[in-house]
Amino acid sequence: METTHSPIRPIPVHPGLPVIGNTLEYLRDPLAFFRRLQRDYGHERMVRINVGGRATTLMLKPEETKQVVQENNRNYGRGKSFAILKTFLGNGLLTSEGDLWRKQRRLAQPAFHRQKLAILAETMIEEAVAWADRLEKVADNKPVNFSTATTDVTLRIVTKTLFGSSLGDQLDSLSTALANLNHFAINAVVNPIRAPKWVPTPSKRNFERATTQVNNLIFGIIESRRKTGETRDDLLDMLLRATDEETGEGMSDEQLRDEMVTLFTAGHETTATSMAWTLYLLAQHPGILQRAKAEIRATLGERSQPSADDLRAMPYSSQVINESLRLYPPGWVMSRLSLGPDRFGDHAIAANEGVLLSPYVLHHDPASWPDPEHFDPERFAPELSKERHPYAYMPFGGGPRLCIGNQFALMEMQALLIVLLHRFELRPVPGLQVTAQPLISLRPRQAVQIYLS
Ligand code: HEM
């Protein structure tokens, strides 16, 4: 965006090695690398780095991040990193662009409206209670591994809220088939060494098999819904009924399939990871844990489980979740490709340049967050939140491509947290230090083990 005519100063370049640039420094510890860049170049507001043979500009401050994702968002596309995701997500919301994305977002948005989500909250609470029942059986004097236990429950919740609870056995096969497909796709994104397209490697054959299975299951469900015309309280139903205000058209079966696989993929791993981090942080901070439990006790009284309305009435548990998402935002970095030139004060970028935006960097900036590594939910007390730049905190991205599932995720995390804390005491495993591993999402490197009693 042309905001000033002052002379252009080049964006600082972080020095690196010939050819490989900063790749080694990045690979050694991406988070420490980003924090160093923030410290050394924060006053310049952005820095150019070269990772994997591609020069990109990392935005270090909320204002410039806002310009890219919101004010001048039309100047930025998804870039090449989304091409692999397209092979299995097709043209769903995460990977599509331009007019198709705009149309799909318009169609899908109402399904994520607060009132619609309140219906899904019942399923979330029901699944949270069933989860706590399962945990009670395994927690006998040994720590629970929440890195896997949270995936178990978020997988069930996303499958049920998307496809409904009436699928019976099919629900499990669909959930397993989708999880397999996700597994292959994530490997393909993370693994930089790939055989040429025409080589039929075993993993490609598995990928194709998983794709066929998922497609058969989803198309079968869509067909039977269209045939019977039955109404259900799930996201598939809401998307099936969605029609474009301008054209009156609904979604084709293929488009519906792409959206369902996208929502499934975007909608469980991230929430599972955040839940694991939240429980880890609470187990490490008994004072904060007890305050959260006191709020739950005061709200629920003698009742054994919350209602959908209760979730909104527990602000401290929301603050805990927000603070956990600040320290460990699962979407720690987002990439864009500039379509045309853009101007940021006296810095400028040209067309066709890579841009990185990092919730992790913004959330650990001491200029916005004093003592940034310290876990303190009080930061999200309403009076303190008012003074911050809106983009100092962006675990769900921002602008028109803001995560469509943000309220869904927060509601689900609250349901899980409240049910769990109401039922159990959490105790840390002595000496366990969990560090972050930035893969596609920011995962715990060590298993998050916690005692329940
Ligand atoms: C804690 C949980 C979650 C986090 C941290 C998270 C984070 C994000 C972020 C940062 C983006 C923006 C990516 C970008 O602009 O490049 C995004 C997009 C998206 N998320 Fe989430 N997400 C979460 C949960 C969910 C859930 C539960 C769903 C669905 C049920 C979901 C569906 C999506 C979709 C469809 C998009 C693409 C939206 C678009 O471009 O129109 N996410 N998410």
Side-chain angles (χ1 to χ4, degrees), residues 20 115 125 179 184 214 256 272 357 367 378 396 449:
I20 60 166
Q115 271 166 317
I125 293 168
F184 294 128
V214 164
L256 258 175
L357 312 157
E378 216 42 54
F396 295 104
Q449 307 270 6

Side-chain angles (χ1 to χ4, degrees), residues 206-368:
N206 287 339
F207 179 76
E208 278 155 22
R209 210 171 300 140
T211 309
T212 311
Q213 200 189 0
V214 164
N215 289 354
N216 288 345
L217 282 164
I218 295 186
F219 287 135
I221 298 166
I222 295 175
E223 195 189 332
S224 86
R225 286 279 178 100
R226 286 213 200 271
K227 236 188 235 154
T228 57
E230 57 189 337
T231 314
R232 294 197 179 279
D233 285 340
D234 54 39
L235 285 168
L236 174 60
D237 193 80
M238 297 181 204
L239 296 185
L240 261 169
R241 282 165 207 287
T243 48
D244 196 294
E245 268 178 24
E246 284 169 20
T247 61
E249 278 173 26
M251 289 185 209
S252 68
D253 287 0
E254 280 69 28
Q255 191 64 43
L256 258 175
R257 176 265 177 214
D258 289 355
E259 295 304 355
M260 295 308 273
V261 177
T262 295
L263 291 173
F264 176 88
T265 305
H268 75 281
E269 186 67 49
T270 38
T271 322
T273 306
S274 294
M275 244 352 260
W277 282 122
T278 307
L279 295 172
Y280 170 70
L281 288 164
L282 284 173
Q284 300 286 322
H285 296 83
I288 294 171
L289 172 64
Q290 289 317 319
R291 192 170 157 196
K293 282 173 78 78
E295 181 187 63
I296 297 169
R297 257 196 318 274
T299 314
L300 299 190
E302 295 301 304
R303 285 177 296 142
S304 66
Q305 64 183 71
S307 67
D309 286 340
D310 288 325
L311 302 186
R312 276 192 288 277
M314 290 189 230
Y316 192 68
S317 73
S318 289
Q319 285 177 224
V320 167
I321 290 167
N322 286 338
E323 174 67 345
S324 154
L325 282 164
R326 180 188 70 81
L327 277 172
Y328 302 109
W332 63 287
V333 67
M334 295 150 46
S335 67
R336 293 289 192 270
L337 187 72
S338 65
L339 304 175
D342 201 2
R343 185 82 188 253
F344 299 84
D346 53 5
H347 289 316
I349 63 164
N352 209 21
E353 282 194 16
V355 173
L356 290 179
L357 312 157
S358 172
Y360 180 84
V361 164
L362 300 178
H363 294 182
H364 290 254
D365 182 357
S368 307

